[in-house]
Amino acid sequence: MGKTQIEATQPTSTQSSNFKTGAQAVMQSLVEQGVSTIFGYPGGAIMPTYDALFDYRDQLKHILVRHEQGAGHAAQGYARMLNKAGVCLVTSGPGATNLITPIADAMLDSTPLVCIVGQVKTNLLGTDAFQECDVIGMSMPITKWNYQIVDPNEIPEIIAKAFYIAETGRPGPVLIEITRSAQAEMMSIPFEYKKCDSIISYKPRLEPKEEHVEAAAKLINGAKRPYILAGHGVLIAQAENELKEFVEKTGIPVATTLLGMSAMDADHPLFVGWPGMHGNYGANVLTNSCDVLIAIGMRFDDRITGDLSTYAKQAKVVHIEVDPSEIDKNVKADAPVVGDAKAALKALLPLVKKADHSEWRAEFKKYDDEEYEKITKKDLYHEGNQIKMGEAIALLSDKTKGEAVVVTDVGQHQMITNRYYRFKKHNSIVTSGGAGTMGFALPASFGAKVAVPDREVVAVIGDGGFQMTLQELGTIAQSGLAVKIIILNNNFLGMVRQWQSMFFDNRYSFVELQNPDFITIAKGFGIDGHTVSDRNNLGESLDTLLNSNKPYLLEIICEKEENVFPMVPAGACVTKVMLE
């Protein structure tokens, strides 16, 4: 029998043999890398690997999703909770292309993934064979690295490299494509797996240069009105404690980005909220009043900066960032510090002086008070029985004591959750930032719950986004894990409707939704739930959701045409904040 005909159907005893099929080498490599969980969906071109997985069921937990996009987002949620690569396993063709969206999402949000994708037999490459597509070419712009394996002997080394690249420096997704032939053939050399700890051509700098740290400290110590923007990089580096120590020593007010939320306790006296398109009033406006802006683990996304030509032009900028390509890309740094956020803050701590800056911090309080009077009071305390999104999230925050893992989809509910959930525990926000992927939250919340089963995980989703990946209710039901799901239902694509209302003369072009009965759908999957529309019943409904020891869906019928404020119009200066 020719080696290309040997399928991965060897008996279990071959797992301990030094000679393995490519498929067995994939499984053994994952085990030796320390992987415990795979999110995937089988198909023709990946079938030899799934056959090998059958013999590894006691070592690798495979979770069968209902769509490959769900596998990617679930792996993202898993990765974000554990700060280690999530693993996806899918087939070729549409299996691979369905993974493109979560790969792109992971790339923008610095989430480590290792995606293993099947491909047609080696001799069929380039022939437009059944379910063949050039996923290497497609994924090249949205991965840190990708590689096509046609020789099974390469598998251990390539998988080891994949995890190293995905998890080090600025994390991100890696894709490995393995032809069916390479999966089925026997390795011609003994299997040996060595974890990768260096690559000649890839040298991420974690420890910042001493002279750069000293230059940053000099600017910080001389500042009268310093301001910190802390991003996702703080959570990735697990530098929350260092950030807290740094701000308490320096007395500098700190805001966090959307993905950086939960890096600071929301009730900390130095925490001033979050900047950005729907961020807090003072956090936005005073960006253009500070004299030193200290950016830590963030990339100056346009949703933060607005009009770059007017952004923080008065300030000296300290930019701490592990990815050197982000330095000077959008905002010129006067004191760039390339390195891991934890390492950089540790290096800065002995060099910065103890300070107070109480007068400067008081300016944020003035803007907070105005925001409270014009926006927050209306969102949380109002007449009538209709439920506003803000009061639902504020009550959820109270009932979970700000300690839940909150996974949000994309839209108005995402901004409202960031406004009114008071994060009290580190690493508690999972959301789609850079790509803004609707349909993210349901599978990502499941992945997060798999990673941290002892924590309360609550998905907050809009009625539009929920319908993009609702089939993953099946995955959640089959697992039995107690993911709590909230749909904030206003029967609109709410964020688009808000823009059409404010900037397109109320021309509501294809944004109103005729929604299905979400509770009946959930019950069809075996998940209990109910709907609440009267605000007098909101507290009791949230209690029912949170007290369930099984998956549960709560549909909250919200005010239909509610807008989210504050708002900085797209491309406007951050001081041009609209309060109504």
Side-chain angles (χ1 to χ4, degrees):
M1 183 181 291
K3 69 176 182 177
T4 56
Q5 296 175 293
I6 298 175
E7 294 292 332
T9 55
Q10 307 296 327
T12 306
S13 61
T14 62
Q15 291 175 12
S16 59
S17 169
N18 284 336
F19 291 91
K20 299 183 183 298
T21 65
Q24 291 166 341
V26 171
M27 294 296 105
Q28 190 64 36
S29 295
L30 293 178
V31 168
E32 296 198 22
Q33 182 63 35
V35 172
S36 60
T37 304
I38 302 171
F39 301 90
Y41 202 96
I46 198 66
M47 205 169 294
T49 297
Y50 267 88
D51 185 73
L53 177 59
F54 188 86
D55 290 329
Y56 280 81
R57 288 170 296 168
D58 60 335
Q59 297 170 278
L60 292 166
K61 179 181 181 181
H62 177 276
I63 294 170
L64 179 63
V65 296
R66 299 306 186 263
H67 189 282
E68 292 88 355
Q69 182 179 349
H73 292 322
Q76 284 181 276
Y78 181 90
R80 295 267 278 271
M81 284 293 96
L82 297 181
N83 272 308
K84 60 184 283 188
V87 179
C88 306
L89 184 64
V90 303
T91 195
S92 64
T97 59
N98 284 342
L99 206 55
I100 290 292
T101 294
I103 290 172
D105 192 288
M107 187 68 173
L108 280 165
D109 287 351
S110 306
T111 304
L113 297 182
V114 172
C115 303
I116 299 172
V117 177
Q119 183 55 285
V120 299
K121 291 183 178 181
T122 305
N123 66 311
L124 294 178
L125 289 172
T127 68
D128 293 331
F130 178 66
Q131 291 191 334
E132 180 191 8
C133 72
D134 181 11
V135 71
I136 293 293
M138 291 178 187
S139 65
M140 193 172 292
I142 55 170
T143 52
K144 281 188 75 176
W145 184 62
N146 61 20
Y147 192 91
Q148 182 185 72
I149 296 177
V150 297
D151 180 353
N153 294 320
E154 292 186 295
I155 287 171
E157 179 185 0
I158 296 304
I159 288 180
K161 281 185 177 180
F163 279 92
Y164 178 71
I165 293 171
E167 294 178 341
T168 56
R170 178 180 177 178
V174 169
L175 183 140
I176 304 170
E177 179 189 85
I178 312 178
T179 64
R180 182 174 171 129
S181 304
Q183 298 168 54
E185 290 170 6
M186 190 71 72
M187 295 175 67
S188 62
I189 59 176
F191 175 88
E192 183 181 15
Y193 190 81
K194 294 180 181 178
K195 288 188 179 182
C196 181
D197 58 11
S198 67
I199 298 173
I200 292 173
S201 59
Y202 172 66
K203 298 289 184 184
R205 188 197 302 168
L206 300 182
E207 294 293 333
K209 292 184 177 179
E210 185 178 346
E211 62 268 28
H212 293 170
V213 175
E214 290 173 351
K218 185 176 179 180
L219 280 181
I220 294 166
N221 288 334
K224 302 297 182 186
R225 297 157 67 90
Y227 183 23
I228 294 171
L229 298 184
H232 190 199
V234 174
L235 300 180
I236 291 170
Q238 300 177 60
E240 296 95 333
N241 291 334
E242 287 77 10
L243 176 65
K244 181 174 182 285
E245 189 176 351
F246 180 80
V247 300
E248 288 178 349
K249 181 177 181 180
T250 59
I252 301 175
V254 56
T256 58
T257 64
L258 178 69
L259 269 69
M261 292 297 280
S262 79
M264 286 287 291
D265 185 328
D267 292 335
H268 194 286
L270 289 162
F271 179 68
V272 295
W274 62 296
M277 181 169 282
H278 289 284
N280 295 108
Y281 190 22
N284 274 313
V285 171
L286 292 177
T287 305
N288 280 11
S289 297
C290 66
D291 60 354
V292 174
L293 183 62
I294 305 145
I296 307 173
M298 53 89 73
R299 59 188 179 86
F300 290 111
D301 174 78
D302 67 295
R303 285 298 186 262
I304 293 290
T305 65
D307 181 5
L308 277 170
S309 70
T310 63
Y311 183 78
K313 291 301 178 183
Q314 79 294 335
K316 297 290 185 182
V317 176
V318 175
H319 193 179
I320 300 170
E321 171 58 46
V322 75
D323 183 355
S325 72
E326 294 294 347
I327 301 290
D328 294 340
K329 186 172 84 173
N330 295 324
V331 173
K332 177 70 177 175
D334 299 279
V337 180
V338 177
D340 172 83
K342 182 189 281 281
L345 287 170
K346 280 184 174 179
L348 272 171
L349 268 166
L351 301 181
V352 293
K353 297 176 181 176
K354 189 166 181 61
D356 182 34
H357 300 300
S358 55
E359 289 185 13
W360 164 233
R361 297 205 312 268
E363 293 190 33
F364 288 89
K365 178 68 165 57
K366 294 175 186 176
Y367 285 98
D368 288 345
D369 290 344
E370 186 175 353
E371 181 179 330
Y372 179 82
E373 289 297 323
K374 292 185 176 180
I375 299 172
T376 307
K377 277 174 65 173
K378 295 177 184 178
D379 283 351
L380 303 186
Y381 313 106
H382 59 95
E383 301 293 329
N385 291 329
Q386 278 194 310
I387 299 171
K388 284 183 172 283
M389 292 182 285
E391 66 180 324
I393 298 303
L395 192 53
L396 173 69
S397 182
D398 290 343
K399 288 182 177 293
T400 57
K401 299 179 181 179
E403 295 181 348
V405 175
V406 181
V407 185
T408 65
D409 215 76
V410 172
Q412 286 183 313
H413 67 277
Q414 179 187 35
M415 302 296 106
I416 284 288
T417 301
N418 227 44
R419 278 187 59 75
Y420 293 115
Y421 196 90
R422 305 288 294 173
F423 291 97
K424 303 286 290 178
K425 194 167 184 176
H426 295 159
N427 197 26
S428 293
I429 178 75
V430 180
T431 192
S432 172
T437 304
M438 292 177 67
F440 171 88
L442 190 62
S445 64
F446 171 71
K449 186 67 173 177
V450 172
V452 287
D454 294 333
R455 290 192 66 183
E456 185 80 90
V457 176
V458 182
V460 181
I461 312 176
D463 47 311
F466 183 75
Q467 293 178 74
M468 289 194 170
T469 53
L470 62 77
Q471 69 274 4
E472 299 306 332
L473 288 172
T475 309
I476 294 171
Q478 188 168 345
S479 76
L481 290 174
V483 178
K484 310 300 170 58
I485 306 157
I486 294 174
I487 300 176
L488 296 183
N489 184 359
N490 56 14
N491 288 101
F492 268 116
L493 299 176
M495 188 60 83
V496 182
R497 182 211 56 77
Q498 178 169 337
W499 279 58
Q500 289 177 347
S501 171
M502 296 176 66
F503 306 115
F504 292 88
D505 299 322
N506 287 307
R507 289 159 58 88
Y508 288 178
S509 182
F510 304 101
V511 288
E512 190 162 10
L513 295 169
Q514 179 177 319
N515 286 324
D517 184 334
F518 293 121
I519 304 305
T520 296
I521 289 173
K523 289 182 177 179
F525 281 102
I527 294 175
D528 203 4
H530 75 277
T531 299
V532 59
S533 58
D534 188 329
R535 64 193 302 245
N536 294 315
N537 299 327
L538 179 60
E540 181 183 352
S541 291
L542 285 169
D543 288 338
T544 300
L545 171 85
L546 296 171
N547 290 335
S548 175
N549 59 6
K550 297 179 180 179
Y552 198 93
L553 173 64
L554 175 62
E555 178 188 23
I556 301 176
I557 306 299
C558 299
E559 186 177 307
K560 194 166 184 181
E561 296 189 46
E562 181 182 356
N563 288 338
V564 182
F565 291 105
M567 182 176 183
V568 180
C573 176
V574 291
T575 61
K576 304 298 183 183
V577 182
M578 302 171 68
L579 297 182
E580 57 187 8

